[in-house]
Amino acid sequence: MVSPPPGIAPPGIPSLGITFLPAFAPEQLREVAQQADSAGLDELWLWEDCFRHGGLATASAALAWTSRITVGVGLLPVPLRNVGVAAMELASLHRLFPDRVLAGIGHGVQSWMGQVGARVASPMTLLNEYDSVLRDLLAGGEVTFDGSYLHVDAVKLHWPPTGNVPLLVGGEGPRSLGFAARRSDGVLLTAGLGVSEIGAACDLIRAEAAAAGKATPPVVVPLIAATGVGAAERVAVEVARWQKSDRDDVGVAGDAEALAAAISRLAEVGVTSVAIQPTEDEPDLPGLCRFLGRQVRPILAGS
């Protein structure tokens, strides 16, 4: 079995991270990143949502402000980013911060892609081409490619990464998840799903990976969560905002034991990394990082 990407634990005890939502002002990131780092969390996940945060700009800052935590970008919308530029940016991050960077690619929200004139007729065709070209560029090769959407002529990175570059793929439907299972170094699932829905996705990922003759890739899942006064109400509002599922186990509210139990249930169905997703009205992001690192993580570790 291949080793999981840095920051993502093998099956059993899942990696524990925090998601810095694009709803939060960029100037809040420094304190949150440093608190997550010092609290012992494994991962800090950033999103590239139109038209809020740039995923690679915020990742670079978070990496520079911290010393050990893995920083993930989930995900980069492939219609929005030129593949050569994406390769240059990711290569630079991996050379500057070895073994601390995770990046995912995906279709992006189609309505947003339409707003910037980047929407394509076949998102799967573009994702297939983009994944292939980006991997070849990050591997240091000279790439010439003439596809339906990507056209690359003798492109080669002058400063390619010096080691392995894990590249994750995000998706929702069976075709996207199947592609991610067969091709990626990890799969990013969407937020707002119940445990049984996540379990079904993990089953599909395992089956597709096995059919392709490869090990099951790590699976990263955001978990909407809150603690403290008004936690249940805030989680209910956040779950309703996503409108992804009618299950009653989509989010979790409560003390450290409640969150640890919810995370453990996800691990049981195949999730290897849980990125706690705060509510958009979370009153104390740095405090939530400390709570996760100092109270929830020891329970998961069995201490």
Side-chain angles (χ1 to χ4, degrees):
M1 179 176 178
V2 297
S3 298
I8 298 182
I13 300 174
S15 295
L16 180 59
I18 185 77
T19 303
F20 186 82
L21 296 174
F24 305 141
E27 55 267 28
Q28 294 178 263
L29 176 58
R30 182 170 188 162
E31 183 179 10
V32 173
Q34 291 175 338
Q35 287 295 330
D37 196 38
S38 63
L41 295 182
D42 301 300
E43 299 162 7
L44 169 66
W45 282 93
L46 307 168
W47 294 355
E48 183 160 276
D49 269 11
C50 298
F51 301 93
R52 296 180 175 183
H53 297 172
L56 296 180
T58 49
S60 180
L63 287 160
W65 289 328
T66 56
S67 61
R68 45 152 296 278
I69 196 168
T70 296
V71 176
V73 181
L75 47 78
L76 299 175
V78 299
L80 192 63
R81 283 187 171 271
N82 178 279
V83 69
V85 175
M88 291 163 56
E89 298 277 21
L90 290 174
S92 294
L93 283 181
H94 278 275
R95 292 183 71 106
L96 289 166
F97 307 100
D99 299 323
R100 293 184 57 207
V101 182
L102 292 172
I105 60 173
H107 302 304
V109 176
Q110 294 305 293
S111 60
W112 290 343
M113 299 304 100
Q115 282 182 270
V116 294
R119 188 167 185 168
V120 298
S122 177
M124 278 304 308
T125 299
L126 173 57
L127 183 62
N128 188 10
E129 294 180 0
Y130 199 103
D131 179 86
S132 178
V133 171
L134 182 57
R135 288 181 189 278
D136 287 347
L137 288 172
L138 292 174
E142 180 177 290
V143 181
T144 295
F145 183 89
D146 188 24
S148 297
Y149 295 106
L150 296 190
H151 307 280
V152 177
D153 183 15
V155 175
K156 180 180 174 68
L157 294 177
H158 186 78
W159 296 106
T162 56
N164 177 54
V165 177
L167 190 61
L168 287 68
V169 174
E172 295 187 38
R175 289 184 66 201
S176 296
L177 290 178
F179 175 86
R182 296 188 299 271
R183 295 275 289 270
S184 75
D185 300 302
V187 183
L188 297 167
L189 297 186
T190 186
L193 300 178
V195 175
S196 61
E197 294 162 323
I198 293 169
C202 288
D203 288 343
L204 185 153
I205 291 165
R206 280 191 290 268
E208 291 283 350
K214 61 172 287 192
T216 303
V219 178
V220 183
V221 173
L223 174 61
I224 298 170
T227 189
V229 177
E233 292 79 6
R234 291 191 286 113
V235 167
V237 170
E238 194 73 22
V239 169
R241 182 182 293 116
W242 278 82
Q243 298 181 331
K244 291 286 185 181
S245 173
D246 58 1
R247 309 301 170 93
D248 60 4
D249 59 355
V250 173
V252 58
D255 58 13
E257 286 77 11
L259 267 67
I263 293 166
S264 296
R265 285 194 293 272
L266 294 178
E268 289 169 1
V269 300
V271 173
T272 54
S273 178
V274 176
I276 295 298
Q277 179 178 323
T279 62
E280 290 193 3
D281 60 352
E282 168 59 49
D284 184 7
L285 277 170
L288 180 60
C289 293
R290 294 189 294 271
F291 167 76
L292 294 171
R294 298 173 187 175
Q295 297 188 46
V296 177
R297 188 173 182 185
I299 297 174
L300 293 172
S303 60

